[in-house]
Amino acid sequence: MQKEVNDCGNWWVGYLALAIRIPLQLLSLGANREGRRRSRKTDRGEGRKMARPAGAALWRLQHLFSQLSRSATLAAVPRSYSTAITSAKVEVNGVHLHYQQTGNGNHAVLLLPGMLGSGQTDFEPQLKNMNKEIFTIVAWDPRGYGKSIPPVRDYPLDYFERDAKDAVDLMQALKFQKFSLLGWSDGGITALIAAGKHPDLIHKMVVWGANVFVTEEDVKIYNAIRDVSKWSEKVRKPLEEMYGHEYLSKMCSAWVDGISQFTQKSNGDICQLLLTHIKCPTLIIHGEKDPLVPRFHAEYIHKRIKGSRLHFMPEGKHNLHLRFAEEFKKMVEEFLV
């Protein structure tokens, strides 16, 4: 098909050349003859005056040919990458996981959503605007979230480890042998676990709004958002459209109970010990106005991942990648490249 497109483009350029150059040659010949005839006259000024219209017409046709040739050549060159966002499901660990994919770059990147989230609700700017010539972007819906239902989402004590295994196995099923991770909130926790357990598979990692242990202070924050009817409409509406109000309300309450159970473990541990196993370059971003994740969580992760970078966004809140999408995109792409 590619050869056919190029052949078509080359044929069109050739046809234009033939169609325009022949009249150009005839007109040029006529102009030369007219000039010679006029030069024999005693009034040389008249000869110059009569030759100009033919010369002007010749220049206009030459300019037209140049423009058409350039347009034909550009039309014959196809785009080297696709901007389309595809959607599909693949069976992984006994469940059908939904994912979106876009771009044709050599650098594969998995986007991991936050609590109750999906690729569609959590990463629209990144799916649309990340460099699709450099990256192949995959945004997944963890089991029980988004379009990866069934099953109904549940929260056993090892649900983050389960998500991490699903995420890695999904990318392997899609034939990505090595890839980078962009994890937000719960997705950041999942990314940290995946990178700690599979250091040879992860190229680079960016996390924001994540924590690796749960404190009593955190539990108070979680309980304050248990009632989804108290959420702002901007936050609640896309999730209600995805799940319906009743399912969203039940799932949020179950999430609060699920994340709070880590306080029963020593030091509220989720995955603290795995941080020292992370070998990939890591960027931690923290919004200084994040109402859900206190600053000390980002600082703790930074101190325990060797060689990691910590960046603070003064005006950033929990959803900093959505509110400051362009700034986030630039920072992340520069880090990944």
Side-chain angles (χ1 to χ4, degrees), residues 75-196:
V77 177
R79 304 187 78 162
S80 60
Y81 61 95
S82 171
T83 59
I85 300 174
T86 62
S87 178
K89 284 189 175 184
V90 61
E91 185 172 358
V92 175
N93 299 326
V95 297
H96 290 86
L97 296 176
H98 175 262
Y99 68 94
Q100 293 171 285
Q101 183 172 326
T102 186
N104 296 111
N106 293 326
H107 190 150
V109 179
L110 176 63
L111 311 180
L112 300 99
M115 65 171 258
L116 318 181
S118 65
Q120 177 181 328
T121 58
D122 290 8
F123 292 114
E124 183 179 0
Q126 288 71 45
L127 284 167
K128 286 184 177 180
N129 300 321
M130 281 189 71
N131 190 313
K132 300 184 181 185
E133 193 170 11
I134 297 174
F135 304 108
T136 294
I137 304 114
V138 178
W140 81 312
D141 300 355
R143 63 171 69 198
Y145 286 166
K147 295 181 181 179
S148 293
I149 301 174
V152 173
R153 182 71 176 185
D154 62 350
Y155 299 92
L157 198 57
D158 66 344
Y159 72 90
F160 282 119
E161 283 80 3
R162 181 183 65 188
D163 284 349
K165 178 173 173 52
D166 283 349
V168 170
D169 290 350
L170 169 66
M171 293 300 279
Q172 298 285 281
L174 297 178
K175 308 302 181 185
F176 297 113
Q177 297 305 311
K178 195 166 185 176
F179 47 92
S180 292
L181 301 172
L182 267 62
W184 176 37
S185 194
D186 276 15
I189 301 172
T190 301
L192 292 166
I193 295 172

Side-chain angles (χ1 to χ4, degrees), residues 223-237:
N223 276 296
I225 62 170
R226 183 186 291 268
D227 185 355
V228 298
S229 65
K230 296 180 180 179
W231 293 9
S232 69
E233 183 179 359
K234 185 176 181 180
V235 174
R236 185 181 68 249
K237 186 176 180 180

Side-chain angles (χ1 to χ4, degrees), residues 192-217:
L192 292 166
I193 295 172
K197 288 193 170 186
H198 305 278
D200 295 336
L201 297 180
I202 309 306
H203 183 46
K204 293 185 178 183
M205 176 169 58
V206 182
V207 295
W208 64 104
N211 55 294
V212 294
F213 57 85
V214 178
T215 68
E216 291 299 331
E217 178 184 345

Side-chain angles (χ1 to χ4, degrees), residues 235-292:
V235 174
R236 185 181 68 249
K237 186 176 180 180
L239 291 171
E240 282 187 334
E241 290 175 351
M242 174 72 70
Y243 301 116
H245 180 80
E246 184 177 353
Y247 185 83
L248 175 62
S249 181
K250 289 180 178 179
M251 190 163 54
C252 182
S253 184
W255 176 85
V256 172
D257 293 338
I259 192 76
S260 298
Q261 68 185 321
F262 289 100
T263 56
Q264 301 169 15
K265 299 181 67 176
S266 176
N267 298 316
D269 180 53
I270 300 176
C271 60
Q272 296 175 70
L273 296 179
L274 282 175
L275 297 184
T276 57
H277 296 278
I278 295 173
K279 306 302 180 187
C280 65
T282 301
L283 171 64
I284 302 119
I285 305 173
H286 183 73
E288 296 206 64
K289 294 185 177 181
D290 189 335
L292 299 179

